[in-house]
Amino acid sequence: MAGSPGRASQPGERGWRGERGRLLEIVALVGLVITQPLLDVLGRSPDFFLFHRADRGQILLLVAVVTLVPTLALALLGALTRLAGRTARALTHTALVGLLLAALAVQVGRHVTPLRGVPLVVVALLAGAAGAVAHRRWRAPGRVLRLAAAGPVAFVALFLLASPTSAVVLPRGEGGAAGTAQGAGVHPPVVMLILDELPLVSLLGADGRIDATRYPSFAELAGASTWYRNATGVSGWTPNALPAMLTGRYPARSVAPHYSQYPDNIFTAFGGLYDIRAEESITRLCPPSRCEQPATPEQGLGVLVRQTGRLLGHLAGPTESAVDPEDSYREQTRAEAGLDAAEPVPADPKFRWDSLDDNQPARFTSFVAGLKPTARPTLHFLHLLMPHSPWAYLPSGARYDAPEDLPNDGAGWVDLARQRHLAQLGYTDRLIGATLRALRASGLYDQALVVVTADHGVSFRPGAQGRGMDAVRAAAGEVAWVPMFVKEPRQPSGRVDDRNWEHVDLLPTIADEANIRLPWRVDGRSARQAPRADGTKHFYDRPGEPVTFPGGVPTAPPPPTPHPLVGTEVRAGPTAGSSARVADLAAFTATDPDTGTLPALVWGDVPDRVPDGTLLAVAVNGRIGAVVPVVPPDPGGRRFAALLTDDSLFRAGTNRLDLYQVATDGTLRRLTLS
């Protein structure tokens, strides 16, 4: 009947079906533009969650935020436009479809075309407009999108069940068998400090020894331990390198650095005979049943959301991102983490150590505080992301701010990157010294097996900066070779051993020294065994795909040579008739060294008429702290950057910053700053 209640409700049903269809289309497009790329990258980056100490609940909440919040926000916007009528609602939905298609076109265009920047945005907007017109004129595009609305469910399922991160969200067992006592030997305390992104060559002087002037604590350690000078890591990526070190096996699969994926590791092997105090950074190899969990503050969902938002900006932008995702892995300072315990203040008058103690990484402070004799043998373990980028420390321990997108490669920039790395290494040397002092003060030094090494290095070779395969091919000596020191209990003196050491040798060596028999087969060889006859090195950019190259202790590149003007006093000279723009110039008018932070990195721009290669002298309070070249502008428009490593340049309150153009005859002409 025409007047039946069922027939009367049809217009409302059509409206509801229309709204449901529009919602499904938004779900599909948001899934393709936001959910899939984010969950794909995060699913392949379990170290992101491990570094930020995310638990299962926080990861699931982040997945919910990524999947639901953008969709709900756009759905709410569409619903509100209904108040203006059906036409406004339809036009708004078409506009949203067009914008989302344009955003998708940007991501696709970056992968399949050479276009970048404004040209890519223009093409993407045209593609989005064409898609919106097609969606409005024909039904087929809408039907395809509604079918694609199942995509986010599949993306979430893959993330939770099949990605490497699934081991962190849904761990499967705690695994490994405990090692057993080997003979009647004692089990000495074991102290392991694993540094990150530290090439051996950064420590070396021209004579092939540790540069004791720049790095006195490393030199002290080398003089009292066995220095395996021909030691190499097995991968340039910590999620592969560190498990190899702690399992004794070469990387075979691309899995999370998690105890459920690596059940046989040093923590499970030692857990039956040793107490374990483990401070891990971007791994979680020690299962909760074996480890005394450190009482460090959780970073929380807010940090995860902020970092994920930054990641989306890199993924969805029309230009290639120059930001290394691992640069978000910055160690919290003691002050940031709210820790009160600190090492004894050293007798060093060079700087304000009472405030710089707050700059110690919180993970390091907790580790040092636990270096004390115990009734049971204890394994003290710390993986510290130092001197790993982001580089933020001067050798004294003072911190400085820097743009996160500052280039690390290219003319002038790679030299600055190396200088910043070496400055942070100088502070890392101080942390090594603090560790040695704490061991001696507690009486643990003589009786302990002390191991200090790094998981991998990094190249500062122009055109091959970093630690991927391009860097390995161009500068394997900088990427693969790492410092490796083993101080045996009551070792009388230091020695150098140039055997072919690979980092799969680390666990079997420590197990032998600790008199523990490992219950699984390892690829490595204990240092108590005869050296390898073969000098070949094995390196894994991808698990299961070894690259080989010959061994041999690498030669250190020449250290950066300071310009003769550095350290000299300069009077106000004639002006150059030109100017320079300096970022954060206001920081020099209100400097407070007692905060432990200094405006030690100076960067900015000069006019186009100043040619590339022109030298600029940077002076603070009348003394030159750095001389750097003008270079072609980077994507941020910067043409120079200088690191001022000498803290004594600065004073409390107002500091005068001057930039001088250095003529070929050495004449200095002052630039006007803005």
Side-chain angles (χ1 to χ4, degrees), residues 125-460:
L125 288 174
L126 291 174
V133 170
H135 174 270
R136 189 160 181 80
R137 291 190 61 181
W138 300 298
R139 292 184 178 181
R143 290 173 178 170
V144 171
L145 286 177
R146 293 172 194 186
L147 290 174
V153 176
F155 305 149
V156 171
L158 288 172
F159 175 85
L160 295 178
L161 302 176
S163 73
T165 297
S166 66
V168 181
V169 187
L170 304 170
R172 302 169 183 89
E174 292 199 359
T180 56
Q182 185 169 266
V186 298
H187 304 300
V190 178
V191 178
M192 294 182 66
L193 175 54
I194 311 296
L195 301 171
D196 205 299
E197 202 173 70
L198 172 52
L200 170 66
V201 294
S202 292
L203 291 172
L204 300 182
D207 60 358
R209 298 185 176 275
I210 304 297
D211 187 337
T213 301
R214 297 172 66 98
Y215 311 112
S217 298
F218 277 106
E220 177 187 353
L221 177 63
S225 63
T226 302
W227 175 17
Y228 295 95
R229 196 166 49 175
N230 189 19
T232 49
V234 299
S235 177
W237 313 108
T238 301
N240 299 328
L242 198 56
M245 298 165 69
L246 302 186
T247 65
R249 293 170 171 167
Y250 291 117
R253 298 180 299 135
S254 182
V255 295
H258 191 269
Y259 57 80
S260 65
Q261 303 298 310
Y262 295 98
D264 297 326
N265 63 62
I266 190 171
F267 304 118
T268 56
F270 278 50
L273 298 170
Y274 276 69
D275 290 335
I276 298 177
R277 292 181 55 89
E279 291 275 354
E280 298 182 75
S281 58
I282 60 175
T283 61
R284 195 165 297 168
L285 296 170
C286 192
S289 62
R290 299 290 175 93
C291 284
E292 177 184 338
Q293 296 300 306
T296 49
E298 297 291 338
Q299 297 192 33
L301 181 64
V303 173
L304 296 179
V305 171
R306 285 196 300 274
Q307 294 294 342
T308 302
R310 291 176 58 196
L311 174 62
L312 179 61
H314 301 326
L315 294 175
T319 59
E320 301 290 352
S321 171
V323 178
D324 182 347
E326 290 193 9
D327 279 353
S328 69
Y329 299 168
R330 184 182 69 80
E331 294 278 6
Q332 282 189 311
T333 65
R334 190 187 75 140
E336 289 169 337
L339 299 182
D340 295 326
E343 61 155 328
V345 177
D348 186 338
K350 188 173 182 180
F351 198 70
R352 293 152 285 272
W353 274 96
D354 54 341
S355 59
L356 291 183
D357 276 350
D358 290 339
N359 281 353
Q360 285 184 356
R363 216 185 307 269
F364 174 79
T365 298
S366 177
F367 169 74
V368 169
L371 294 179
K372 298 173 182 177
T374 55
R376 272 171 53 87
T378 301
L379 168 61
H380 303 267
F381 177 90
L382 172 65
H383 173 216
L384 186 67
L385 293 177
M386 292 283 283
H388 193 289
S389 61
W391 303 300
Y393 289 96
L394 300 181
S396 67
R399 286 185 293 148
Y400 62 90
D401 294 324
E404 68 171 15
D405 62 341
L406 207 62
N408 292 337
D409 208 350
W413 300 112
V414 70
D415 296 325
L416 176 66
R418 185 184 179 203
Q419 186 182 13
R420 294 177 66 197
H421 158 76
L422 293 176
Q424 191 141 303
L425 178 54
Y427 181 49
T428 305
D429 182 77
R430 289 183 176 271
L431 300 182
I432 294 295
T435 304
L436 297 177
R437 286 193 298 273
L439 287 169
R440 290 193 173 99
S442 69
L444 200 61
Y445 181 84
D446 286 335
Q447 57 181 298
L449 174 70
V450 180
V451 177
V452 177
T453 186
D455 56 353
H456 57 76
V458 63
S459 165
F460 293 97

Side-chain angles (χ1 to χ4, degrees), residues 182 228 488-489 499 501 508-515 525-531:
Q182 185 169 266
Y228 295 95
E488 300 171 7
R499 73 176 63 209
W501 173 291
T509 298
I510 294 174
D512 268 359
E513 294 289 347
N515 296 300
R525 177 187 294 260
S526 168
R528 287 189 177 181
Q529 298 176 266

